[in-house]
Amino acid sequence: MRPFDALALPGVIERTTDLREAERFIRLFHGEHPSEGGMHARLRDVGRDIARHGTYVHTFEELQFGARVAWRNSNRCIGRLYWKSLRVRDRRDVAGAEGVALECVAHLREATGDGKIRPTITVFPPDVPGRRAPRVLNEQLIRYAGHRTRGGSVIGDPRQAELTALARELGWRGGLGRFDVLPLIIDPGLGGPLLCNLPGDVVLEVPIVHPVYPWFADLGLRWHAVPAISGMCLEIGGVCYPCAPFNGWYMGAEIGARNLADTDRYDQLPVVAERLGLDTSTERSLWRDHALVELNVAVLHSFEAAGVTMTDHHTESSRFLTHLEREEKAGRTCPAEWSWIVPPISGGATPVFHRSYDNPTLTPNFVPGH
């Protein structure tokens, strides 16, 4: 759904919580926490609350477990080995747009940790019958603007051109550079949206340089340290938390082989190839491959030199297979979408390429939001 469409949604939620989903989650929680006890009493309470109010309220322990399992069940994420370490910030008592903005800033400050990135999720109020909860319209808390020019080109990130236009329509007076950090756009549920400029001290950025080629610094590339996804709904036991920004840390290829390399993003491979003196007149020269490797070398080197947590695609592939083995030993299915698990660079050289995966849709999970 486009950000413009999200602003047009009504402020009232009519759907009630599915009792079957709620019961399935409560049984899952108690099945993995047998020491908690009282499952049947909890099921009765949940059933009663849904009958009376159309929904129910998770305990903190249920919320924490649900958020971690949502990460465990995320079939497109290769970095799930550390799902139990996810830090859960319970902010269900924060309803106003200003409060959401302040807590998103606090999330980034705490998750960044001076470069020692901590997997973190901040959970705001859920949608309930009669009330639509706040939402962050940005797909990630930190994204770079895409400025459309009169000639039809885009300065910055083309993926963010529409959100950038919306921000300007709402009064944002940002610059016209390639790496201008967008403000948060918060839909409060009822009323107009709020713009929140992120303070500079919560946006840790890494200049991209190369360990061998000094000219790489002249390209003026950089990227932010924390990939905090904010445009998805955390669904736990039939309850949707539409505002639940969460982050792990970057795998280098996400930046070096996608954000900076994709032709519909920053499209830097031709630029790097030219500076390397490669023959771009024929695909047989494999200039794209050569440029892609050097761009990824630069990203990994830069984050390491800056002391910012990052992993490479070979290490993360091995970690994912370790996670898969642990899940199988625990008697659980580990859903995985092959086209997302296999890295976007040197896929065939990683162990995750050479096998197939089960891919059922499990809950709790993160689902498309807005």
Side-chain angles (χ1 to χ4, degrees):
M1 181 177 292
R2 303 183 310 126
F4 293 102
D5 298 330
L7 290 178
L9 289 172
V12 176
I13 300 296
E14 300 294 343
R15 183 176 67 88
T16 60
T17 298
D18 188 328
L19 177 60
R20 294 167 298 180
E21 290 295 323
E23 290 180 343
R24 187 178 296 117
F25 170 70
I26 297 301
R27 293 183 186 279
L28 177 66
F29 172 77
H30 282 271
E32 296 192 28
H33 298 82
S35 62
E36 288 288 329
M39 181 183 73
H40 295 292
R42 180 60 176 146
L43 286 170
R44 287 195 300 271
D45 289 345
V46 167
R48 180 198 62 215
D49 289 347
I50 292 176
R52 290 179 179 176
H53 309 295
T55 191
Y56 68 108
V57 177
H58 292 124
T59 66
F60 173 75
E61 291 74 17
E62 291 168 353
L63 181 74
Q64 178 176 256
F65 172 72
R68 289 173 174 173
V69 173
W71 187 10
R72 186 176 84 190
N73 288 337
S74 297
N75 64 344
R76 293 183 170 183
C77 179
I78 194 175
R80 287 176 268 169
L81 178 61
Y82 304 108
W83 65 272
K84 290 183 179 179
S85 70
L86 181 65
R87 183 165 173 263
V88 179
R89 304 175 73 245
D90 183 359
R91 297 298 184 269
R92 289 177 290 175
D93 60 340
V94 177
E98 294 83 359
V100 170
L102 289 173
E103 286 297 337
C104 286
V105 169
H107 175 118
L108 288 173
R109 186 170 283 118
E110 294 176 24
T112 302
D114 294 324
K116 306 303 180 185
I117 311 301
R118 304 172 224 176
T120 304
I121 185 169
T122 299
V123 184
F124 293 102
D127 283 333
V128 298
R131 188 180 74 246
R132 184 170 177 269
R135 285 153 167 77
V136 174
L137 299 188
N138 310 58
E139 66 176 13
Q140 292 194 20
L141 294 183
I142 304 173
R143 272 306 198 211
Y144 296 119
H147 309 287
R148 286 197 181 101
T149 68
R150 291 183 178 179
S153 62
V154 174
I155 299 171
D157 189 350
R159 183 183 177 98
Q160 304 305 318
E162 190 168 9
L163 191 71
T164 302
L166 175 59
R168 291 199 178 280
E169 182 180 311
L170 295 172
W172 183 54
R173 296 292 179 262
L176 291 174
R178 291 196 299 163
F179 295 97
D180 298 324
V181 176
L182 281 166
L184 297 180
I185 304 178
I186 300 170
D187 172 10
L190 285 175
L194 173 74
L195 283 182
C196 170
N197 288 307
L198 292 173
D201 69 304
V202 303
V203 183
L204 177 60
E205 295 179 282
V206 177
I208 306 302
V209 296
H210 196 283
V212 176
Y213 303 114
W215 53 259
F216 225 98
D218 299 335
L219 301 181
L221 303 178
R222 63 177 184 264
W223 207 259
H224 55 88
V226 180
I229 298 171
S230 52
M232 301 190 78
C233 163
L234 168 62
E235 188 170 331
I236 303 174
V239 177
C240 170
Y241 296 92
C243 190
F246 64 96
N247 70 275
W249 49 72
Y250 271 118
M251 182 173 72
E254 295 178 82
I255 301 171
R258 297 302 310 275
N259 298 337
L260 293 177
D262 283 350
T263 56
D264 60 348
R265 300 293 298 284
Y266 278 83
D267 194 22
Q268 290 298 296
L269 295 187
V271 178
V272 173
E274 180 182 2
R275 296 300 294 266
L276 287 169
L278 302 178
D279 178 8
T280 60
S281 66
T282 173
E283 297 295 347
R284 286 177 175 256
S285 70
L286 300 185
W287 65 269
R288 298 181 197 275
D289 307 72
H290 191 163
L292 187 63
V293 168
E294 296 301 343
L295 182 53
N296 278 269
V297 167
V299 169
L300 288 167
H301 165 76
S302 300
F303 271 67
E304 183 176 16
V308 176
T309 306
M310 171 174 277
T311 187
D312 64 88
H313 52 286
H314 294 287
T315 299
E316 207 59 45
S317 295
S318 296
R319 287 175 178 172
F320 178 73
L321 292 186
T322 298
H323 168 69
L324 193 64
E325 292 172 4
R326 290 182 182 179
E327 290 300 291
E328 290 173 349
K329 287 181 180 179
R332 295 190 291 260
T333 298
C334 178
E337 187 171 340
W338 189 92
S339 62
W340 280 74
I341 296 301
V342 175
I345 177 175
S346 305
T350 63
V352 293
F353 177 91
H354 301 279
R355 56 162 297 160
S356 59
Y357 304 94
D358 294 325
N359 192 24
T361 299
L362 302 180
T363 58
N365 215 322
F366 295 100
V367 299
H370 298 157

